[in-house]
Amino acid sequence: MSGFSVNEAGYYGNFGGAYIPEMLYPNVEELRASYIKIITSEDFQHEFNHLLETYVGRPTPLYFASRLSSKYGAKIYLKREDLCHTGAHKVNNTIGQILLAKKLGKDKIIAETGAGQHGVATATVCALMGMECTVYMGEVDMARQKPNVERMKILGAEVKAATSGSKTLKDATNEAMRHWINNPDDTHYIIGSVVGPHPYPDMVARFQSVISEEIKRQLYDLEGKHSPDYLLACVGGGSNAAGAFYHFLEDTKVKLIAAEAAGHGIETNKSAATTFIGKSGVLHGSKTLLMQTGDGQVVEPHSISAGLDYPGIGPLHAHLFDSGRASFYAITDEEAMIAGVELSKLEGIIPAIESAHALAVLGKMDFDERDVMVLNLSGRGDKDLETYIKWGKY
Ligand SMILES: *Cc1c(COP(=O)(O)O)cnc(C)c1O
């Protein structure tokens, strides 16, 4: 049984598929028809793994956090994706997709970005490969995330402002799709999470699955077994969680836990906790859970962490929620900030505020002291320094 893998039609249970304008069909179909053959080829795997090792810095450590473990009464390991080049897991995917683009004969890359993190990870690999890079970003987001805009420019990317609608992520997505429709032959569109039309969610999950592949091997060396009792990760679109869960999805002894951003609280309308307040609908080309009004308008999300500030989740996670395979927790801004500062003081690691949402789940669980927990520390907190300072309670 592979109940949690994507099926032929691109679905995970009731979620997924490719809900795209007809004009986009040839581009998406080209990808769908070729992605598995290309990324499983020996040649591709060799190049991908070589770059992960020599450029990204993989394998990332699986670190036993002893002071954090004492505090929560379980054996807690941190998977250190924060040590990846560019400071988070996102680069695992952009390396994979740019290699795929090369194999497909494309020499131009487009992407859309909300907070700029995926834009930076994309601009980085475009510089690495000498490819032309255009990143669409909402005008409002460009003003809010100036340092990332400048990073992308330093890396040689062109950042184009999306000036329609609310001038945020969904408008940037629309612009990127339009660009792709008009430039199907020479351009690849790099999506940054396990979202978008099939085959993107599966393709991105496969690139990020290196995380769980390493966890299995590293845990065996440290604990004498391949599987933890618990696996915990934060979910924005869901790519770091998908990568950490991937090789454990069918192993139901491993309890999967996802942390979503509750923002000011799920009862307020300033939240991004999709599984708590979202409903089934179509977002970014796939059927999934998303936050929407009664008449289907997408609700603007809120989270203190830019990376979790997304109105939906990927279709795999919608299925993990729907089927009960994973448990979901909603973590408020305040809870995340407290957990971020706690890790800093206990372990000397300042986490990204996204990852701090996963850390905040620890205090809500009942552990047996023999329980082994692996927490995917998706990114480092350097980019969030200003938010930590503004919050001020440390
Ligand atoms: C972007 C980001 C996330 C959220 O994206 P996912 O696709 O859900 O992983 C989480 N953590 C960090 C550090 C990020 O940069």
Side-chain angles (χ1 to χ4, degrees):
M1 252 303 274
S2 55
F4 299 101
S5 301
V6 80
N7 69 17
E8 271 290 305
Y11 279 83
Y12 301 91
N14 297 316
F15 304 100
Y19 295 77
I20 50 174
E22 204 165 330
M23 303 268 285
L24 209 55
Y25 182 79
N27 311 35
V28 173
E29 177 56 20
E30 180 188 24
L31 263 187
R32 192 202 61 77
S34 56
Y35 81 108
I36 291 195
K37 184 152 182 282
I38 292 174
I39 70 183
T40 57
S41 73
E42 203 172 311
D43 184 36
F44 182 95
Q45 281 295 318
H46 178 79
E47 229 177 313
F48 182 51
N49 289 322
H50 182 71
L51 282 173
L52 289 182
E53 186 183 320
T54 59
Y55 186 73
V56 175
R58 306 203 71 91
T60 59
L62 184 66
Y63 164 68
F64 176 62
S66 77
R67 289 185 7 101
L68 193 69
S69 296
S70 301
K71 161 119 201 196
Y72 290 106
K75 294 179 92 169
I76 302 171
Y77 289 89
L78 302 178
K79 181 57 173 163
R80 299 290 310 274
E81 292 302 296
D82 60 314
L83 296 177
C84 289
H85 176 48
T86 67
H89 66 289
K90 284 196 174 70
V91 71
N92 302 325
N93 167 50
T94 56
I95 294 260
Q97 286 201 48
I98 203 150
L99 288 176
L100 178 72
K102 257 184 25 176
K103 302 277 183 215
L104 288 170
K106 316 282 178 183
D107 59 4
K108 295 187 175 66
I109 297 294
I110 55 167
E112 94 285 339
T113 193
Q117 314 273 97
H118 172 57
V120 170
T122 301
T124 299
V125 298
C126 288
L128 176 70
M129 296 294 170
M131 288 209 207
E132 198 178 299
C133 181
T134 306
V135 179
Y136 288 94
M137 191 169 182
E139 200 173 41
V140 169
D141 289 334
M142 283 178 73
R144 285 196 291 218
Q145 308 286 344
K146 192 110 180 52
N148 277 341
V149 174
E150 299 310 314
R151 274 187 195 103
M152 287 185 263
K153 289 184 182 165
I154 291 170
L155 291 161
E158 184 184 357
V159 184
K160 283 197 177 160
T163 55
S164 62
S166 55
K167 304 180 174 60
T168 58
L169 180 61
K170 73 173 157 43
D171 312 294
T173 303
N174 291 338
E175 295 285 334
M177 296 242 196
R178 200 166 307 142
H179 182 129
W180 205 24
I181 289 170
N182 292 327
N183 301 271
D185 295 331
D186 61 0
T187 302
H188 174 69
Y189 175 21
I190 299 190
I191 292 182
S193 189
V194 285
V195 300
H198 178 63
Y200 278 98
D202 182 53
M203 181 168 76
V204 176
R206 284 169 185 257
F207 291 142
Q208 293 291 359
S209 72
V210 64
I211 300 172
S212 57
E213 203 178 298
E214 289 174 7
I215 291 173
K216 272 201 135 141
R217 200 169 65 229
Q218 293 169 319
L219 199 64
Y220 189 77
D221 289 342
L222 293 159
E223 285 286 329
K225 59 179 187 178
H226 290 290
S227 307
D229 298 298
Y230 297 95
L231 253 177
L232 166 57
C234 65
V235 172
S239 69
N240 86 90
F245 294 173
Y246 195 87
H247 291 287
F248 302 102
L249 286 169
E250 311 296 337
D251 181 356
T252 52
K253 291 187 300 303
V254 181
K255 298 180 191 76
L256 307 178
I257 301 163
E260 285 195 279
H264 294 190
I266 53 173
E267 69 291 344
T268 69
N269 57 9
K270 292 182 88 64
S271 162
T274 307
T275 60
F276 289 83
I277 54 180
K279 293 204 169 53
S280 185
V282 171
L283 179 69
H284 205 161
S286 71
K287 187 169 170 222
T288 191
L289 293 171
L290 65 134
M291 299 178 358
Q292 53 190 315
T293 59
D295 56 358
Q297 293 294 317
V298 176
V299 172
E300 280 288 317
H302 168 83
S303 167
I304 195 166
S305 81
L308 304 186
D309 201 353
Y310 184 69
I313 49 171
L316 165 63
H317 294 288
H319 181 48
L320 292 177
F321 173 74
D322 201 37
S323 63
R325 175 69 186 92
S327 317
F328 285 71
Y329 286 79
I331 302 298
T332 63
D333 290 351
E334 185 76 9
E335 289 170 328
M337 295 308 293
I338 291 169
V341 169
E342 179 181 85
L343 184 74
S344 307
K345 295 200 193 298
L346 283 177
E347 299 287 349
I349 300 168
I350 304 178
I353 297 171
E354 291 86 354
S355 320
H357 284 72
L359 290 159
V361 172
L362 295 173
K364 297 178 183 285
M365 295 185 59
D366 283 319
F367 292 111
D368 181 292
E369 63 187 18
R370 284 161 307 183
D371 285 340
V372 173
M373 150 73 75
V374 173
L375 186 153
N376 198 42
L377 201 73
S378 56
R380 69 178 84 126
D382 304 29
K383 68 182 176 61
D384 295 321
L385 201 61
E386 214 176 295
T387 309
Y388 276 110
I389 293 168
K390 209 184 274 171
W391 184 66
K393 295 176 228 164
Y394 45 85

